[in-house]
């Protein structure tokens, strides 16, 4: 009997980092938790990075995920924003790897394809599908929903692979 | 009697992160160690971030610095490079704050002003002054020298403040 797979999905942002946690049992995805990590406006970089890494460490401590999936971010037209987003994302991944979690990366296109079934889906459609698939009673905050969507993407892509390969769970993604 | 101040200077880069460690005793700066953290070419992001955070953790464990100083990076003309540099820098600062180190940031201009005495100094002049000030027998690798230059910048800027204020050591910088 395998330990159930618990996926921590992370959507990094320069101001708000969304997260979502789901369990995968067979072909079922079960909601565990979700939320946002908000950094303090106008705080210095080290302060903002502190907030991100401390909260992610706390989330890992509390929910004991077995794997992490992180959204790949787009480069912004504003270079300073791109740098800030990169710093937030680097800090989030650092917190994950320091806790020994395997980290997988998915693009926004892969998230839309996995969750909605087509890459041109609007953000609202992704959020709608997250609510449906996890049988949520309300709509989570947008960043939390994005975190859940990334966790779902990891679950669905591996389920697909597992089905194709006759039931054995294969870990796909960009890094292990 | 105060515990001597041991400064860990970090120059983050997407491929190579330089570091330098110095002790400050009175108005003396004493070389402790320096080197480079090189990530594996073509490795996935989480792998590269792992290398950075694990090596920084190891350096902190070995040398027990009391404070860290990190160079502020410039945004690159290439947005993808800026994102990657941001990620490496975010991971480095995450490793520092996770170990409880106060982190200060200095711009390249501040480093040149502190170490050479003028902001328009060439990179080679900075390296030359690092060798002179720390009485090194050889020239360290460029990234290691940059790490030492940032550590020296923190030492010199605070020494200046301490002198102006009549001897008490004031911690300046952008974050504590």
């Amino acid at each position: 009997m395998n330990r159930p797979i618990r996926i921590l999905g992370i959507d990094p942002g320069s101001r708000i980092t969304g997260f979502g946690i789901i369990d995968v049992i067979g072909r079922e995805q079960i909601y565990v938790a979700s939320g946002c990590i908000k950094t303090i406006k106008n705080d210095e970089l080290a302060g903002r990075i502190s907030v991100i890494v401390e909260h992610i460490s706390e989330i890992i401590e509390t929910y004991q995920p077995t794997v992490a999936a992180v959204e790949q971010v787009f480069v912004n037209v504003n270079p300073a924003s791109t740098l800030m987003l990169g710093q937030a994302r680097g800090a989030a991944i650092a917190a994950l790897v320091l806790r020994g979690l395997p980290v997988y990366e998915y693009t926004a296109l892969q998230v839309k394809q996995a969750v909605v079934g087509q890459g041109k889906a609007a953000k609202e459609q992704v959020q709608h599908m997250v609510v449906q698939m996890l049988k949520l009673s309300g709509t989570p905050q947008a960043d939390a929903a994005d975190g859940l969507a990334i966790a779902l993407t990891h679950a669905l892509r591996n389920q697909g692979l597992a089905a194709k390969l006759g039931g054995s769970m294969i870990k796909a993604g960009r890094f292990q």
Side-chain angles (χ1 to χ4, degrees), chain A:
Chain A
M1 181 60 192
N2 289 329
R3 185 180 165 201
I5 294 160
R6 177 164 285 189
I7 307 166
L8 167 57
I10 301 269
D11 179 34
S14 50
R15 282 290 319 284
I16 301 175
T17 293
F19 71 92
I21 300 161
I22 63 168
D23 276 346
V24 179
I25 299 169
R27 294 185 74 91
E28 284 283 303
Q29 294 92 32
I30 297 139
Y31 175 88
V32 177
S34 67
C36 305
I37 301 165
K38 287 180 192 168
T39 56
I40 301 149
K41 208 178 167 177
N42 300 327
D43 194 5
E44 296 304 340
L45 178 65
R48 277 177 282 160
I49 284 179
S50 260
V51 169
I52 294 169
V53 297
E54 277 164 20
H55 278 79
I56 289 181
S57 296
E58 206 175 292
I59 290 161
I60 295 171
E61 192 76 47
T62 307
Y63 296 104
Q64 304 279 331
T66 53
V67 57
V70 180
E71 181 145 350
Q72 277 187 4
V73 293
F74 284 104
V75 295
N76 199 291
V77 283
N78 178 341
S81 303
T82 301
L83 183 69
M84 188 53 228
L85 182 55
Q87 288 171 162
R89 190 167 190 265
I93 296 176
L96 298 169
V97 300
L98 273 167
R99 300 297 296 247
L101 280 184
V103 177
Y104 297 79
E105 297 183 71
Y106 298 103
T107 63
L109 182 75
Q110 288 174 318
V111 171
K112 286 173 180 180
Q113 277 168 341
V115 177
V116 184
Q118 58 125 321
K120 283 184 180 172
K123 222 170 158 54
E124 293 70 28
Q125 276 178 277
V126 176
Q127 286 167 15
H128 175 77
M129 284 307 294
V130 166
V131 172
Q132 297 304 310
M133 292 169 88
L134 295 174
K135 303 174 188 73
L136 304 180
S137 55
T139 306
Q141 194 272 350
D143 299 280
D146 289 341
L148 288 167
I150 294 148
L152 275 171
T153 301
H154 183 74
L156 293 165
R157 285 174 65 97
N158 287 288
Q159 194 175 73
L161 265 180
K164 272 183 214 156
L165 293 163
S168 66
M169 179 58 80
I170 301 289
K171 283 184 182 166
R174 301 196 60 214
F175 174 75
Q176 182 178 6

